[in-house]
């Protein structure tokens, strides 16, 4: 309601320019007000109209003018300047916003860096130098503040690339009512004392523990793969090249009891019946001589049947007296000895020698 109830923002840019702003839409209901100021003191003040207005949707919301003294008086009036809406007197040195630091230098010594800048000509005791830094893999800036105009920080990794930025700030409340800091100086990139264009190509080196763990994991994976391949190879080899059975297992007694002596083993196993199926393909047909008319009496004596086998060798040599072997059926259930073999015979068996 009163003339001192309006909130304004005052900024003194390094004691060179003044900027006064107000919220015109909230305070004056979109009324276009006019601004006057003076650095004069006493009863005979000379008010100067604002020549450079700041606009908010085409309404006056601030004024920018040159700093001309330590004490400033301002006045907000209606559009034609006939009625004063707000007035205030203030010390401009309490609203200083410093300029960015000039001639910033970096000095590296192992893991320690010292950042310095030029000392301002005025009120250097009210300023503090703030350093912020972070590596490529840090989410937030790390901050360090010291008296103007040098700051020292240690603990930097020589294998990492860091981004640095610095600014000046005013001490509150010793020197400033408003907590103002300068804009940040241009960001720079450093790695082990070397200035870089950027940290885009920076790769954080792995620690020795990480390297050992990675190598161990790689070796374990390779061993596992080799075992899997070995098992697969065994299966393939068994399917392509099946194992030859060892005869010592089916004939354990031959090797264990007779030390591999086949003759001795056969003599010991007379009860074993060897059944051998012999197949012959004769080039010539087998002739069977059964002449009941010529040898009627002999056929009655021979009994059931007589088969005659003719050998190919005799036919080729045109020998009229070729060997003809008549295999007669022996008596049933008799045993015929041959060398050291004993062969069991029955009524349906023929033996060809």
């Amino acid at each position: 309601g009163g003339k001192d109830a309006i909130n304004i923002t005052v900024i003194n840019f390094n004691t060179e320019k003044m900027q006064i702003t107000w919220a015109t839409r909230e305070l004056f209901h979109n009324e276009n007000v006019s601004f006057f100021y003076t650095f004069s003191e006493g009863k005979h003040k000379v008010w100067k109209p604002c020549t450079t207005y700041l606009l908010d949707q085409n309404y006056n919301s601030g004024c920018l003018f040159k700093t001309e003294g330590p004490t400033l008086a301002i006045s907000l009036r209606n559009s034609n300047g006939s009625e004063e809406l707000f007035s205030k007197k203030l010390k401009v040195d309490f609203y200083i916003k410093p300029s960015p630091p000039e001639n910033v230098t970096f000095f590296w010594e192992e893991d320690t860096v010292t950042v310095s800048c030029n000392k301002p000509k005025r009120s250097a005791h009210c300023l503090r130098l703030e350093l912020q830094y972070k590596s490529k893999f840090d989410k937030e800036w790390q901050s360090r503040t010291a008296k103007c105009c040098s700051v020292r920080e240690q603990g930097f990794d020589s294998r990492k690339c860091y981004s640095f930025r610095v600014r000046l700030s005013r001490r509150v409340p010793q020197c400033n009512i408003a907590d103002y800091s300068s804009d940040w100086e241009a960001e720079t990139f450093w790695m082990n004392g070397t200035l870089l264009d950027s940290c885009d190509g920076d790769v954080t080196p792995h620690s020795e523990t990480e390297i050992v763990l990675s190598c161990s994991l790689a070796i374990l994976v390779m061993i596992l793969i080799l075992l899997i391949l070995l098992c697969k190879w065994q299966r393939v080899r068994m399917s392509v090249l099946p194992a030859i059975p060892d005869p010592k297992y089916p004939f354990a007694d031959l090797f264990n009891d007779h030390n591999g002596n086949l003759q001795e083993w056969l003599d010991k196993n007379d009860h074993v019946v060897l059944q051998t199926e012999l197949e012959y393909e004769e080039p010539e047909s087998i002739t069977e001589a059964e002449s009941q008319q010529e040898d009627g009496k002999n056929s009655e004596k021979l009994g059931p049947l007589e088969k005659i086998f003719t050998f190919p060798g005799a036919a080729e040599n045109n020998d009229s007296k070729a060997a003809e072997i008549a295999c007669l059926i022996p008596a049933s259930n008799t045993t015929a000895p041959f060398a050291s073999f004993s062969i069991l015979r029955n009524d349906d068996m023929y033996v060809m020698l």
Side-chain angles (χ1 to χ4, degrees), residues 164-175:
F164 290 91
R165 63 182 185 181
V166 292
R167 68 179 179 181
L168 291 172
S169 59
R170 294 275 293 184
R171 298 175 61 189
V172 178
Q174 294 85 349
C175 300

Side-chain angles (χ1 to χ4, degrees), residues 171-190:
R171 298 175 61 189
V172 178
Q174 294 85 349
C175 300
N176 251 38
I177 295 177
D179 189 6
Y180 288 150
S181 299
S182 70
D183 295 333
W184 291 104
E185 179 65 12
E187 188 174 346
T188 56
F189 306 93
W190 294 82

Side-chain angles (χ1 to χ4, degrees), residues 31-325:
E31 180 183 356
N32 209 2
V33 298
S34 57
F35 180 84
F36 293 85
Y37 67 94
T38 182
F39 287 93
S40 302
E41 297 184 10
K43 296 181 178 180
H44 303 284
K45 297 179 181 179
V46 179
W47 293 93
K48 295 181 180 181
C50 180
T51 57
T52 307
Y53 278 102
L54 304 177
L55 302 179
D56 182 8
Q57 297 183 358
N58 295 325
Y59 289 96
N60 296 337
S61 61
C63 182
L64 188 63
F65 53 96
K66 184 178 179 181
T67 303
E68 298 176 358
T71 304
L72 173 65
I74 61 175
S75 175
L76 286 175
R77 305 175 184 180
N78 57 5
S79 58
N80 57 18
S82 60
E83 180 183 359
E84 186 176 70
L85 304 177
F86 172 77
S87 64
K88 189 174 181 65
K89 185 177 180 180
L90 46 87
K91 293 287 187 181
V92 296
D93 289 343
F94 290 158
Y95 300 92
I96 295 177
K97 180 178 181 178
S99 298
E102 297 178 355
N103 193 22
V104 179
T105 58
F106 289 80
F107 176 74
W108 288 81
E109 185 179 4
E110 295 182 354
D111 66 338
T112 304
V113 60
T114 302
V115 183
S116 303
C117 67
N118 288 347
K119 190 174 183 179
K121 297 179 180 180
R122 296 181 54 188
S123 304
H125 65 281
C126 288
L127 297 175
R128 297 180 67 85
L129 181 64
E130 181 181 2
L131 169 68
Q132 286 191 346
Y133 61 91
K134 67 175 181 178
S135 69
K136 181 179 178 180
F137 303 95
D138 293 331
K139 295 182 179 180
E140 298 181 354
W141 290 92
Q142 306 295 322
S143 184
R144 175 76 172 177
T145 304
K147 292 181 179 181
C148 185
C149 292
S150 178
V151 59
R152 180 184 175 90
E153 182 64 22
Q154 61 184 2
F156 294 98
D157 190 344
S158 60
R159 300 171 296 178
K160 291 183 179 180
C161 179
Y162 292 90
S163 303
F164 290 91
R165 63 182 185 181
V166 292
R167 68 179 179 181
L168 291 172
S169 59
R170 294 275 293 184
R171 298 175 61 189
V172 178
Q174 294 85 349
C175 300
N176 251 38
I177 295 177
D179 189 6
Y180 288 150
S181 299
S182 70
D183 295 333
W184 291 104
E185 179 65 12
E187 188 174 346
T188 56
F189 306 93
W190 294 82
M191 182 176 180
N192 195 23
T194 302
L195 180 63
L196 304 177
D197 294 334
S198 67
C199 289
D200 294 337
D202 179 37
V203 178
T204 302
H206 299 287
S207 63
E208 295 182 0
T209 304
E210 292 176 339
I211 295 175
V212 172
L213 291 177
S214 300
C215 294
S216 302
L217 181 60
I219 293 174
L220 290 177
V221 171
M222 292 181 62
I223 293 175
L224 180 61
I225 294 175
L226 290 176
L227 291 176
I228 294 174
L229 293 177
L230 182 61
C231 294
K232 294 289 185 182
W233 168 247
Q234 291 290 344
R235 292 183 180 180
V236 172
R237 192 182 68 174
M238 290 299 295
S239 61
V240 176
L241 300 174
I244 300 175
D246 195 341
K248 70 180 180 180
Y249 295 108
F251 303 97
D253 54 347
L254 172 62
F255 295 94
N256 295 336
D257 301 338
H258 304 284
N259 197 23
N261 192 329
L262 179 61
Q263 185 65 45
E264 181 181 340
W265 178 75
L266 292 174
D267 293 341
K268 281 282 188 175
N269 294 273
D270 292 340
H271 61 282
V272 177
V273 179
L274 300 177
Q275 297 181 353
T276 306
E277 185 177 330
L278 302 176
E279 294 181 2
Y280 292 92
E281 293 183 4
E282 298 293 340
E284 298 180 0
S285 61
I286 301 175
T287 60
E288 181 178 340
E290 297 180 352
S291 179
Q292 296 181 356
Q293 297 176 357
E294 296 179 357
D295 299 322
K297 295 180 180 181
N298 292 333
S299 62
E300 291 177 356
K301 294 180 180 181
L302 291 175
L305 184 63
E306 178 180 1
K307 293 184 179 179
I308 300 174
F309 294 87
T310 304
F311 289 87
E316 292 177 0
N317 296 329
N318 296 323
D319 190 355
S320 60
K321 294 181 180 181
E324 294 182 357
I325 302 175

